[in-house]
Amino acid sequence: MNRCFVAACFILFFGAGSVHAQERAPKSTAAGVFTEEQAKRGAAAYDANCAGCHGEKLLSLGPQFPSLAGRAFRTAWIGKTIGEKFEFVRKSMPPKAERSLGDQVYLDIVTYILRFNRIPAGDRPLTPDLEILNQIQIATPTR
Ligand code: HEC
């Protein structure tokens, strides 16, 4: 086998692989874009860092704090992308301690909020890759 042939195969193989990965990037949460375990990890981090204001059941503990479930979830989350919500939470929550948690922890918390609101889980964990997160729209759960 000559070297050019090997190089061509290499490009074909990996080039095709990356096109494939883009095609496979999910466009909506209906596909199940995070895992149940990830949402569970998010629950623990939420209880420690967010529940004091937003409530253990994601229903606000005071008029100054928005709820993160029910009607509030439908208006502020459905139709947005996971990227938008992740970016907001990471750069503004908790107030006065913005960016105090790691990106993966913020994202796990976001998956917990989604799961709590009956967005389906799937079999692959979500990682904090904004390019991908910005493409995934939060869809009304079907059941
Ligand atoms: C000290 C109280 C406090 C804590 C702790 C807190 N928040 Fe908030 N949160 C607020 C207030 C006040 C607002 C409304 C002001 C605003 O939107 O900037 C808000 C708004 C939000 C919103 C926007 C509403 C929506 O549904 O899009 C989200 C999401 C959110 N918080 C998530 C979190 C998460 C996740 C955590 C934990 C990492 C957290 N908050 C911790 C007080 C708090």
Side-chain angles (χ1 to χ4, degrees), residues 50 68 77 83-95 97-101 105-107 109-110 113:
C50 320
L68 302 175
W77 290 64
E84 285 172 80
K85 301 313 290 187
F86 166 72
E87 276 282 71
F88 172 83
V89 168
R90 178 173 67 156
K91 73 169 204 291
S92 31
M93 293 292 137
E98 305 85 8
R99 295 184 193 270
S100 56
L101 309 171
V105 176
Y106 276 120
L107 188 59
I109 293 175
V110 166
I113 296 170

Side-chain angles (χ1 to χ4, degrees), residues 31-136:
V33 297
F34 55 85
T35 64
E36 204 74 67
E37 298 77 63
Q38 180 168 24
K40 279 212 186 97
R41 280 197 303 276
Y46 175 91
D47 286 347
N49 299 287
C50 320
C53 297
H54 294 288
E56 255 174 52
K57 300 278 173 223
L58 282 64
L59 295 175
S60 147
L61 299 181
Q64 66 275 45
F65 314 124
S67 290
L68 302 175
R71 186 143 52 100
F73 177 83
R74 288 194 293 278
T75 14
W77 290 64
I78 296 289
K80 302 273 169 33
T81 66
I82 294 188
E84 285 172 80
K85 301 313 290 187
F86 166 72
E87 276 282 71
F88 172 83
V89 168
R90 178 173 67 156
K91 73 169 204 291
S92 31
M93 293 292 137
K96 303 212 173 79
E98 305 85 8
R99 295 184 193 270
S100 56
L101 309 171
D103 282 358
Q104 187 67 61
V105 176
Y106 276 120
L107 188 59
D108 291 350
I109 293 175
V110 166
T111 68
Y112 168 61
I113 296 170
L114 294 172
R115 190 72 198 104
F116 190 96
N117 286 284
R118 308 210 325 275
I119 302 291
D123 48 20
R124 286 210 298 172
L126 202 53
T127 52
D129 177 338
L130 261 187
E131 219 173 290
I132 290 177
L133 297 181
N134 281 336
Q135 292 179 39
I136 309 175

